Coordinates of all heavy atoms in Angstrom, one line a residue:
M57 N 0.8 -1.2 0.0 CA 0.0 0.0 0.0 C 0.9 1.3 0.0 O 1.8 1.3 0.7 CB -0.9 0.0 1.2 CG -1.9 -1.1 1.3 SD -2.9 -0.9 2.8 CE -4.4 -0.3 2.1
A58 N 0.5 2.2 -0.8 CA 1.2 3.4 -0.9 C 0.7 4.4 0.2 O -0.5 4.5 0.4 CB 1.1 4.1 -2.3
Q59 N 1.6 5.1 0.8 CA 1.2 6.1 1.8 C 0.8 7.4 1.1 O 1.5 7.8 0.2 CB 2.3 6.3 2.8 CG 2.5 5.2 3.8 CD 3.6 5.5 4.8 OE1 4.3 6.4 4.6 NE2 3.6 4.8 5.9
Q60 N -0.2 8.0 1.6 CA -0.5 9.3 1.1 C 0.2 10.4 1.9 O 0.3 10.3 3.1 CB -2.0 9.5 1.2 CG -2.8 8.6 0.3 CD -4.3 8.9 0.4 OE1 -4.8 9.7 1.2 NE2 -5.1 8.2 -0.5
H61 N 0.7 11.4 1.2 CA 1.3 12.5 1.8 C 0.4 13.6 2.0 O -0.3 14.1 1.0 CB 2.6 13.0 1.1 CG 3.6 11.9 1.0 ND1 4.4 11.6 2.0 CD2 4.0 11.1 0.0 CE1 5.3 10.6 1.7 NE2 5.0 10.3 0.4
H62 N 0.2 14.1 3.2 CA -0.7 15.2 3.4 C 0.1 16.5 3.7 O 1.0 16.5 4.5 CB -1.6 14.9 4.7 CG -2.5 16.0 5.0 ND1 -3.6 16.3 4.3 CD2 -2.5 16.8 6.1 CE1 -4.3 17.3 4.9 NE2 -3.6 17.6 6.0
I63 N -0.3 17.5 3.0 CA 0.3 18.9 3.2 C -0.8 19.7 3.9 O -1.9 19.9 3.4 CB 0.7 19.5 1.9 CG1 1.7 18.7 1.2 CG2 1.2 20.9 2.2 CD1 2.1 19.2 -0.2
A64 N -0.4 20.2 5.1 CA -1.3 20.9 5.9 C -1.6 22.3 5.3 O -0.8 22.9 4.7 CB -0.8 21.1 7.3
T65 N -2.8 22.8 5.6 CA -3.2 24.1 5.2 C -2.3 25.2 5.8 O -2.0 26.2 5.2 CB -4.7 24.4 5.6 OG1 -5.5 23.3 5.1 CG2 -5.2 25.7 5.1
T66 N -1.9 24.9 7.0 CA -1.0 25.9 7.7 C 0.3 26.1 6.9 O 0.9 27.2 6.8 CB -0.7 25.5 9.1 OG1 -0.1 24.2 9.1 CG2 -1.9 25.5 10.0
K67 N 0.8 25.0 6.4 CA 2.1 25.0 5.6 C 1.9 25.8 4.3 O 2.7 26.6 3.9 CB 2.6 23.6 5.3 CG 4.0 23.6 4.7 CD 4.6 22.3 4.7 CE 5.0 21.8 6.1 NZ 6.0 22.6 6.8
I68 N 0.8 25.5 3.6 CA 0.4 26.2 2.4 C 0.3 27.7 2.6 O 0.8 28.5 1.9 CB -0.8 25.6 1.8 CG1 -0.6 24.2 1.3 CG2 -1.3 26.5 0.6 CD1 -1.8 23.4 0.9
A69 N -0.4 28.1 3.7 CA -0.6 29.5 4.1 C 0.8 30.1 4.4 O 1.0 31.3 3.9 CB -1.5 29.6 5.3
G70 N 1.7 29.5 5.1 CA 3.0 30.0 5.3 C 3.8 30.3 4.1 O 4.4 31.3 3.9
F71 N 3.8 29.3 3.2 CA 4.5 29.5 1.9 C 3.9 30.6 1.0 O 4.6 31.3 0.4 CB 4.6 28.2 1.1 CG 5.6 27.2 1.6 CD1 5.3 26.0 2.1 CD2 7.0 27.6 1.6 CE1 6.3 25.1 2.6 CE2 8.0 26.8 2.0 CZ 7.6 25.5 2.5
I72 N 2.6 30.7 1.0 CA 1.9 31.8 0.3 C 2.3 33.1 0.8 O 2.6 34.1 0.1 CB 0.4 31.6 0.2 CG1 0.0 30.4 -0.6 CG2 -0.3 32.9 -0.2 CD1 -1.4 30.0 -0.6
G73 N 2.3 33.3 2.1 CA 2.7 34.5 2.8 C 4.2 34.9 2.4 O 4.5 36.0 2.1
M74 N 5.0 33.9 2.5 CA 6.4 34.1 2.2 C 6.6 34.5 0.7 O 7.4 35.4 0.4 CB 7.2 32.8 2.5 CG 8.7 32.9 2.3 SD 9.4 34.0 3.4 CE 11.1 33.6 3.2
A75 N 6.0 33.8 -0.1 CA 6.1 34.1 -1.6 C 5.6 35.5 -1.9 O 6.2 36.2 -2.7 CB 5.4 33.0 -2.4
A76 N 4.5 35.8 -1.3 CA 3.9 37.2 -1.6 C 4.9 38.3 -1.2 O 5.1 39.2 -1.9 CB 2.6 37.3 -1.0
G77 N 5.5 38.1 0.0 CA 6.4 39.1 0.5 C 7.7 39.2 -0.3 O 8.1 40.3 -0.6
V78 N 8.2 38.1 -0.7 CA 9.5 38.0 -1.4 C 9.2 38.6 -2.8 O 10.1 39.4 -3.3 CB 10.0 36.6 -1.5 CG1 11.1 36.5 -2.5 CG2 10.5 36.2 -0.1
I79 N 8.1 38.3 -3.5 CA 7.9 38.8 -4.8 C 7.6 40.3 -4.7 O 8.2 41.1 -5.6 CB 6.6 38.1 -5.4 CG1 7.0 36.6 -5.8 CG2 6.1 38.8 -6.7 CD1 5.9 35.8 -6.2
A80 N 6.9 40.8 -3.7 CA 6.7 42.2 -3.6 C 8.0 43.0 -3.4 O 8.2 44.0 -3.9 CB 5.7 42.5 -2.5
A81 N 8.9 42.4 -2.5 CA 10.1 43.1 -2.2 C 11.0 43.1 -3.5 O 11.7 44.1 -3.8 CB 10.8 42.4 -1.0
L82 N 11.0 42.0 -4.2 CA 11.9 41.9 -5.4 C 11.4 42.9 -6.4 O 12.3 43.6 -7.0 CB 11.8 40.4 -5.9 CG 12.6 40.2 -7.2 CD1 14.1 40.3 -6.9 CD2 12.3 38.8 -7.8
I83 N 10.2 43.0 -6.7 CA 9.7 43.9 -7.7 C 9.9 45.4 -7.2 O 10.2 46.2 -8.0 CB 8.2 43.7 -8.0 CG1 8.0 42.3 -8.7 CG2 7.6 44.8 -8.8 CD1 6.6 41.9 -8.9
S84 N 9.8 45.6 -5.9 CA 10.1 46.9 -5.4 C 11.5 47.3 -5.5 O 11.8 48.5 -5.8 CB 9.7 47.0 -3.9 OG 8.3 46.8 -3.7
F85 N 12.4 46.4 -5.4 CA 13.8 46.7 -5.7 C 14.1 47.0 -7.2 O 14.9 47.8 -7.5 CB 14.7 45.5 -5.3 CG 15.1 45.5 -3.8 CD1 14.7 44.4 -3.0 CD2 15.8 46.5 -3.2 CE1 15.0 44.4 -1.7 CE2 16.1 46.5 -1.9 CZ 15.7 45.4 -1.1
L86 N 13.4 46.3 -8.0 CA 13.6 46.5 -9.5 C 12.9 47.7 -10.1 O 13.4 48.2 -11.1 CB 13.2 45.2 -10.2 CG 14.0 43.9 -9.8 CD1 13.5 42.7 -10.5 CD2 15.5 44.1 -10.1
T87 N 11.8 48.1 -9.6 CA 11.0 49.1 -10.2 C 11.5 50.5 -9.7 O 12.0 50.6 -8.6 CB 9.5 49.0 -9.9 OG1 8.8 49.9 -10.6 CG2 9.2 49.2 -8.4
K88 N 11.2 51.5 -10.5 CA 11.6 52.9 -10.2 C 10.3 53.7 -9.8 O 10.5 54.8 -9.3 CB 12.3 53.5 -11.4 CG 13.5 52.9 -11.8 CD 14.6 52.9 -10.8 CE 15.8 52.2 -11.3 NZ 16.7 51.8 -10.3
A89 N 9.2 53.1 -9.9 CA 7.9 53.8 -9.6 C 7.5 53.5 -8.1 O 7.3 52.3 -7.8 CB 6.8 53.4 -10.5
P90 N 7.5 54.5 -7.2 CA 7.1 54.2 -5.8 C 5.7 53.8 -5.7 O 5.4 53.0 -4.7 CB 7.4 55.6 -5.2 CG 7.4 56.6 -6.2 CD 7.8 55.9 -7.5
G91 N 4.8 54.2 -6.6 CA 3.4 53.8 -6.4 C 3.2 52.2 -6.6 O 2.4 51.6 -5.9
I92 N 4.0 51.7 -7.5 CA 3.9 50.2 -7.7 C 4.5 49.5 -6.4 O 3.9 48.5 -6.0 CB 4.7 49.8 -8.9 CG1 4.0 50.4 -10.2 CG2 4.8 48.3 -9.0 CD1 4.8 50.2 -11.5
A93 N 5.6 50.0 -5.9 CA 6.2 49.4 -4.7 C 5.2 49.4 -3.5 O 5.1 48.5 -2.8 CB 7.5 50.0 -4.4
V94 N 4.6 50.6 -3.3 CA 3.7 50.7 -2.2 C 2.4 49.9 -2.4 O 2.0 49.2 -1.4 CB 3.3 52.2 -2.0 CG1 2.2 52.4 -1.0 CG2 4.5 53.0 -1.6
T95 N 1.9 49.8 -3.6 CA 0.7 49.0 -3.9 C 1.0 47.5 -3.7 O 0.2 46.8 -3.0 CB 0.2 49.2 -5.3 OG1 -0.1 50.6 -5.5 CG2 -1.0 48.4 -5.6
L96 N 2.1 47.0 -4.2 CA 2.5 45.6 -4.1 C 2.8 45.3 -2.6 O 2.4 44.2 -2.1 CB 3.7 45.3 -4.9 CG 3.4 45.2 -6.4 CD1 4.6 44.9 -7.2 CD2 2.3 44.1 -6.7
G97 N 3.4 46.2 -1.9 CA 3.7 46.0 -0.5 C 2.4 46.0 0.3 O 2.3 45.2 1.3
G98 N 1.5 46.8 0.0 CA 0.2 46.8 0.7 C -0.6 45.5 0.5 O -1.1 44.9 1.4
I99 N -0.6 45.0 -0.8 CA -1.3 43.8 -1.1 C -0.6 42.6 -0.4 O -1.2 41.7 0.2 CB -1.3 43.6 -2.6 CG1 -2.2 44.6 -3.3 CG2 -1.7 42.1 -3.0 CD1 -2.2 44.6 -4.8
A100 N 0.8 42.6 -0.4 CA 1.5 41.5 0.2 C 1.4 41.6 1.7 O 1.4 40.5 2.4 CB 3.0 41.6 -0.2
T101 N 1.2 42.8 2.3 CA 1.0 42.9 3.7 C -0.4 42.2 4.1 O -0.5 41.5 5.1 CB 1.0 44.3 4.2 OG1 2.3 44.9 3.8 CG2 0.8 44.5 5.7
V102 N -1.4 42.5 3.3 CA -2.7 41.9 3.6 C -2.6 40.4 3.5 O -3.2 39.7 4.3 CB -3.8 42.5 2.7 CG1 -5.1 41.8 2.8 CG2 -4.0 44.0 3.0
I103 N -2.0 39.9 2.4 CA -1.8 38.5 2.2 C -1.0 37.9 3.4 O -1.3 36.8 3.9 CB -1.2 38.2 0.9 CG1 -2.1 38.5 -0.3 CG2 -0.7 36.7 0.8 CD1 -1.5 38.5 -1.6
G104 N 0.0 38.6 3.8 CA 0.8 38.1 5.0 C 0.1 38.0 6.3 O 0.3 37.1 7.0
V105 N -0.8 39.0 6.5 CA -1.6 39.0 7.8 C -2.6 37.8 7.7 O -2.8 37.1 8.7 CB -2.3 40.3 8.0 CG1 -3.3 40.3 9.1 CG2 -1.3 41.4 8.3
I106 N -3.2 37.6 6.6 CA -4.1 36.5 6.4 C -3.4 35.2 6.6 O -3.9 34.3 7.3 CB -4.9 36.6 5.1 CG1 -5.8 37.8 5.1 CG2 -5.7 35.3 4.8 CD1 -6.4 38.1 3.8
S107 N -2.2 35.1 6.0 CA -1.4 33.8 6.1 C -1.0 33.6 7.5 O -0.9 32.5 8.0 CB -0.2 33.9 5.2 OG -0.6 34.0 3.8
L108 N -0.6 34.7 8.2 CA -0.2 34.6 9.6 C -1.3 34.1 10.4 O -1.1 33.2 11.3 CB 0.3 36.0 10.1 CG 1.0 36.0 11.4 CD1 2.3 35.2 11.3 CD2 1.3 37.5 11.7
W109 N -2.5 34.6 10.2 CA -3.7 34.1 10.9 C -4.0 32.6 10.6 O -4.3 31.9 11.5 CB -4.9 35.0 10.6 CG -6.1 34.6 11.4 CD1 -6.4 34.8 12.7 CD2 -7.2 33.8 10.8 NE1 -7.6 34.3 13.0 CE2 -8.1 33.7 11.9 CE3 -7.5 33.3 9.6 CZ2 -9.3 33.0 11.7 CZ3 -8.7 32.6 9.4 CH2 -9.6 32.5 10.5
M110 N -3.9 32.3 9.4 CA -4.2 30.9 9.0 C -3.2 29.9 9.5 O -3.5 28.7 9.8 CB -4.3 30.7 7.5 CG -5.5 31.4 6.9 SD -5.6 31.3 5.1 CE -5.8 29.5 4.9
S111 N -1.9 30.3 9.7 CA -0.9 29.4 10.1 C -0.5 29.5 11.6 O 0.5 29.0 12.0 CB 0.4 29.7 9.3 OG 0.9 31.0 9.5
R112 N -1.4 30.1 12.3 CA -1.1 30.3 13.8 C -1.1 29.0 14.6 O -0.6 29.0 15.7 CB -2.2 31.2 14.3 CG -3.6 30.6 14.5 CD -4.6 31.6 14.8 NE -5.9 30.9 15.0 CZ -6.8 30.6 14.1 NH1 -6.4 30.9 12.8 NH2 -7.9 30.0 14.3
K113 N -1.5 27.9 14.1 CA -1.5 26.6 14.8 C -0.2 25.9 14.8 O 0.0 25.0 15.6 CB -2.6 25.7 14.2 CG -4.0 26.3 14.4 CD -5.0 25.4 13.8 CE -6.4 26.0 13.9 NZ -7.4 25.2 13.3
N114 N 0.7 26.3 13.9 CA 2.0 25.6 13.8 C 3.1 26.7 13.8 O 3.1 27.6 13.0 CB 2.1 24.8 12.5 CG 3.3 24.0 12.4 OD1 4.3 24.2 13.0 ND2 3.2 23.0 11.5
T115 N 4.1 26.5 14.7 CA 5.1 27.6 14.9 C 6.0 27.7 13.6 O 6.3 28.8 13.2 CB 6.0 27.2 16.1 OG1 5.1 27.1 17.2 CG2 7.0 28.3 16.4
D116 N 6.4 26.6 13.0 CA 7.3 26.7 11.9 C 6.6 27.4 10.7 O 7.2 28.2 10.0 CB 7.7 25.3 11.4 CG 8.6 24.6 12.5 OD1 9.2 25.3 13.2 OD2 8.6 23.4 12.5
D117 N 5.3 27.1 10.5 CA 4.6 27.7 9.4 C 4.3 29.2 9.7 O 4.3 30.0 8.8 CB 3.3 26.9 9.1 CG 3.5 25.5 8.7 OD1 4.6 25.2 8.2 OD2 2.7 24.7 9.0
M118 N 4.1 29.5 10.9 CA 3.9 30.9 11.3 C 5.2 31.7 11.1 O 5.1 32.9 10.8 CB 3.5 30.9 12.8 CG 2.9 32.2 13.2 SD 2.2 32.0 14.9 CE 1.6 33.6 15.2
Q119 N 6.3 31.1 11.3 CA 7.6 31.8 11.0 C 7.7 32.1 9.6 O 8.3 33.2 9.2 CB 8.8 30.9 11.5 CG 8.9 30.9 13.0 CD 10.0 29.9 13.5 OE1 10.6 29.2 12.7 NE2 10.3 30.0 14.7
L120 N 7.3 31.2 8.7 CA 7.3 31.5 7.2 C 6.4 32.7 6.9 O 6.9 33.6 6.2 CB 6.9 30.3 6.5 CG 7.8 29.1 6.3 CD1 7.1 27.9 5.6 CD2 9.0 29.6 5.4
A121 N 5.2 32.7 7.5 CA 4.3 33.8 7.2 C 4.9 35.1 7.8 O 4.7 36.2 7.2 CB 2.9 33.5 7.8
T122 N 5.5 35.0 8.9 CA 6.1 36.2 9.5 C 7.2 36.8 8.7 O 7.4 38.0 8.5 CB 6.6 35.9 10.9 OG1 5.5 35.4 11.7 CG2 7.1 37.2 11.6
A123 N 8.0 35.9 8.1 CA 9.1 36.3 7.2 C 8.5 37.0 6.0 O 9.1 38.0 5.5 CB 10.0 35.2 6.8
G124 N 7.5 36.4 5.4 CA 6.8 37.1 4.3 C 6.2 38.4 4.6 O 6.3 39.4 3.8
L125 N 5.7 38.5 5.8 CA 5.1 39.8 6.3 C 6.3 40.9 6.4 O 6.1 42.0 6.1 CB 4.4 39.6 7.6 CG 3.6 40.8 8.1 CD1 2.5 41.2 7.1 CD2 3.0 40.5 9.5
F126 N 7.4 40.4 6.9 CA 8.6 41.3 7.0 C 9.0 41.8 5.7 O 9.3 43.0 5.5 CB 9.7 40.6 7.7 CG 11.0 41.4 7.8 CD1 11.1 42.5 8.6 CD2 12.0 41.1 6.9 CE1 12.3 43.2 8.6 CE2 13.2 41.8 6.9 CZ 13.3 42.9 7.8
M127 N 9.1 40.9 4.7 CA 9.4 41.3 3.3 C 8.4 42.3 2.7 O 8.8 43.2 2.0 CB 9.6 40.1 2.5 CG 10.8 39.2 2.9 SD 12.4 40.0 3.0 CE 12.7 40.2 1.2
A128 N 7.1 42.1 3.0 CA 6.1 43.0 2.5 C 6.3 44.4 3.1 O 6.2 45.4 2.4 CB 4.7 42.5 2.9
V129 N 6.7 44.4 4.4 CA 7.0 45.8 5.0 C 8.2 46.4 4.4 O 8.3 47.6 4.2 CB 7.1 45.6 6.6 CG1 7.6 46.9 7.2 CG2 5.8 45.2 7.2
V130 N 9.2 45.6 4.1 CA 10.4 46.1 3.4 C 10.0 46.7 2.1 O 10.5 47.8 1.7 CB 11.4 45.0 3.2 CG1 12.5 45.4 2.2 CG2 12.0 44.6 4.5
S131 N 9.1 46.0 1.4 CA 8.6 46.6 0.1 C 7.9 47.9 0.3 O 8.1 48.9 -0.5 CB 7.6 45.6 -0.5 OG 7.0 46.1 -1.7
L132 N 7.1 48.1 1.3 CA 6.4 49.3 1.6 C 7.5 50.4 1.9 O 7.3 51.5 1.5 CB 5.5 49.2 2.8 CG 4.2 48.5 2.6 CD1 3.4 48.2 3.9 CD2 3.3 49.5 1.7
V133 N 8.5 50.1 2.7 CA 9.5 51.1 3.1 C 10.3 51.5 1.8 O 10.6 52.7 1.7 CB 10.4 50.5 4.2 CG1 11.6 51.4 4.4 CG2 9.7 50.3 5.5
I134 N 10.6 50.6 1.0 CA 11.3 50.9 -0.3 C 10.4 51.9 -1.1 O 10.9 52.9 -1.6 CB 11.6 49.7 -1.1 CG1 12.7 48.8 -0.4 CG2 12.0 50.0 -2.5 CD1 12.9 47.5 -1.0
G135 N 9.1 51.6 -1.2 CA 8.3 52.5 -2.0 C 8.1 53.9 -1.4 O 8.1 54.9 -2.1
L136 N 8.1 53.9 -0.1 CA 7.9 55.2 0.6 C 9.2 56.0 0.6 O 9.2 57.2 0.6 CB 7.4 55.0 2.0 CG 6.0 54.5 2.2 CD1 5.6 54.2 3.6 CD2 5.0 55.4 1.6
S137 N 10.4 55.3 0.6 CA 11.6 56.1 0.7 C 12.0 56.6 -0.7 O 12.7 57.6 -0.8 CB 12.7 55.2 1.2 OG 13.0 54.1 0.4
V138 N 11.6 55.9 -1.8 CA 11.9 56.3 -3.1 C 11.1 57.6 -3.5 O 11.5 58.5 -4.2 CB 11.7 55.2 -4.2 CG1 11.8 55.7 -5.6 CG2 12.7 54.1 -3.9
G139 N 9.8 57.6 -3.1 CA 8.9 58.6 -3.5 C 9.0 59.9 -2.8 O 9.7 60.6 -2.3

């Protein structure tokens, strides 16, 4: 019998939060328009807070979402400092 591998919703939420924050920060570093950086940072912040709430049951997954939230805030700071 083959074992089924189960991926928890908390792990998916943590990775989504992390990915959103990293993508927003990366685009903010590359773009010259502060409006885009602030908008992407705001969207990633909302996604990060939702991911943080969804992954609150598992410490490791919550750390992923927190790192993504940090990167989203970095994106906001980049946008606000350029403008």
Side-chain angles (χ1 to χ4, degrees):
M57 294 180 107
Q59 290 183 341
Q60 293 182 355
H61 296 284
H62 177 71
I63 299 175
T65 305
T66 58
K67 187 167 292 299
I68 294 170
F71 280 119
I72 289 174
M74 180 68 164
V78 168
I79 290 170
L82 180 66
I83 293 174
S84 295
F85 277 120
L86 296 177
T87 187
K88 301 296 181 199
I92 294 173
V94 171
T95 303
L96 288 177
I99 291 169
T101 301
V102 171
I103 292 171
V105 168
I106 292 170
S107 296
L108 192 63
W109 181 77
M110 289 178 68
S111 64
R112 70 189 183 278
K113 296 177 184 177
N114 188 340
T115 305
D116 293 335
D117 301 334
M118 195 170 179
Q119 288 176 350
L120 282 173
T122 303
L125 188 59
F126 174 75
M127 294 304 287
V129 171
V130 166
S131 175
L132 281 170
V133 170
I134 291 169
L136 292 173
S137 66
V138 171

